[in-house]
Amino acid sequence: MAYLELKNLKKSFGPTTVVQDFNLSVGRGEFISLLGPSGCGKTTVLRMVAGFETPTAGSIVIDGQDVTRLKPNSRNIGMVFQAYALFPNMTVAQNVAFGLKIKGIGRAETDARVNEMLKLIGLPDLGGRYPFQLSGGQQQRVALARALAPRPRVLLLDEPLSALDAKIRVSLRTEIREIQRELGITTIFVTHDQEEALSMSDRIVVMYGGVAEQVGAPHEIYNRPQTRFVANFVGTLNTFEATVRNADAGTLTLAGVDVALPEGGLQAKAGESVTVALRPEAVQLGRRSDGDIVLPGSIEDVHFMGSVIRLKVAVAGSTLSLDTFNRSDMPPPAVGAAIEVALSPKDLIVLQG
Amino acid sequence: MTRFLAWGTLLFGCTFFALPLIGMTEFSMRMLREGYSFEAYRVVLLDERFQQTFSYSVLMALATIVFGMLLVVPTAYWVRLRLPSARPWIEFITLLPLVIPAIVIVFGYIRLYNTSSWLPLTGSYTGTNILLMFGYMTLSLPYMYRAVDTGLRTIDVATLTEAALSLGAGWFTILTRVILPNVLVAVLSGAFLTFAIVIGEFTMAALLDRPAFGPFMQLLGANRAYEPAALAVIAFGITWACMALIQLATRFSKHTQAQR
């Protein structure tokens, strides 16, 4: 049974509907990311769960209790904000203790819980400092400790890493995930950063235009995007136009080569054009194995990215991105070089919608 | 050349401001023919009416500050949080006391709250004191509101409120433990300005016939020579002390020592 359930959620501001028919079931202890571009409605969904926005329609149920009309201060939900939102007039320890004092927890227990939380976030000695004396990463850790201290039923993270620099962002996302796993707290994480969502989540909800486009595990979202938007938004994608030969058998013609899709059936008629997508890492330099489609091409551009080299290759009238690992004993391919690229039919994604 | 002009302008400004004060202070110390003395100050400070009127005005100033805070802080907070579209209207209303003379306001009060009205506040000393306090609140509104609003602008009111709400806090807790401490310096600035206004205010107190410091200064000025100058220096001293307190409050506010 779902621990947190969002049923048919809708939110309109005047004539504009920002979230529509949004459904999501979250299991206890699950880490869910709402991923999408700015204005897709992900923060609005989070704010409805927190109680800062009232849904126009639909309901929110936490652990069997309908909280749709409950005030935000009665929901027992912890929230971490992008802008940290630490109380500037209070020390770190006072910030963490704030929610506990509101709950009327005794001094001894409050002190113990504050120490426990500060230890959890790796800042046991900074209880006496004020927020302005901390770095951005430390402030966000304290904000996390403050949200977790009253033992909320659900933890909401509203782009908590966006204001931090790249290195701290990477280390803090690991820490957040470890703490979440350790406490087993049900978490909803809002982000527009696909790397964050893919690396941290149990499941991802990709949102666009107020609608959940696809819900799935990170590898499902990445490897089997169900819509054109998800395919384009998550990761880099090569797309080709192909012609359906036999829809039931799942065969099509791609760049003049006949291809049989291993999964078979296509939702299109014979002779129709469909868009087929392929990740850069699924394109191989040179012939690899039997059954691969091999196409001739020439290298247009070379981007050296450290461990990976991304090549732009002109193939069958379009440009294709291709990733290959860097090897210290081999220089990167030269621009203009004639090559062969191999694609496996099992890596082809036929895009719907 | 530009540097010379800048220094020249600054020097001229300082002289323009300081010269009358120096002259007034020098004059206030010439009460005795033998030479400079603090005789005028001694006479003023020992005057029973000075002590009575000054205490009265201090009490009125404190009451005005407390009630002003109770009115302005929640209003400015709510306007910033939930009614941003009402902000121009609220600003317009708070600016009205600057364009409507105090004499017009006090005549309006007397007409509305006289002994034959539905709320006869002028019928008793307490009622008139309350009326005067509300009058002072009106006069200090432009300064108090602006000071508090400026303070609120320096913090992320919406996010701090939401953070406190998510931790279970109610509105009273949010206002008293999260918002007010963070705008305390601004509130104190408004409070000291209010104090300075109330201490020197003459029109309202005189027309409502209350024993305030302003009418006493006027009375003394009309009948004596050296004492009014001494009183003016004392009044300046009080105002400057208020300004110094604002600076001190800012300096010793721990959490505003650095940019957030």
Side-chain angles (χ1 to χ4, degrees), chain A residues 47 52 72-74 76-79 81 83-90 95 98-103 130-133 139 146-147 150, chain B residues 82 155-156 158-171 173-174 176-179 181-182 253-260:
Chain A
R47 291 175 62 79
F52 301 138
N73 52 0
S74 310
N76 192 18
I77 284 176
M79 187 152 174
F81 300 82
Y84 321 137
L86 293 177
F87 306 131
N89 56 310
M90 297 180 199
N95 263 285
F98 185 85
L100 302 170
K101 281 186 180 164
I102 298 289
K103 272 191 161 181
Y130 281 90
F132 76 85
Q133 295 170 314
Q139 286 192 54
R146 183 182 66 178
Chain B
R82 292 285 147 89
I155 57 171
D156 188 347
T159 315
L160 288 180
T161 301
E162 287 178 354
L165 276 172
S166 72
L167 292 164
W171 291 110
T173 310
I174 293 172
T176 53
R177 288 179 57 188
V178 176
I179 301 299
N182 284 304
S253 172
K254 276 185 188 168
H255 57 275
T256 52
Q257 281 174 348
Q259 284 293 312
R260 284 183 291 279

Side-chain angles (χ1 to χ4, degrees), chain A residues 50 55 88 96 119 133 143 151 163 184 215 235 244 274 282 313 321-322:
Chain A
V96 178
K119 220 169 154 186
Q133 295 170 314
R151 296 195 176 135
V215 183
V244 177
V274 289
V313 183
S321 288
L322 181 162

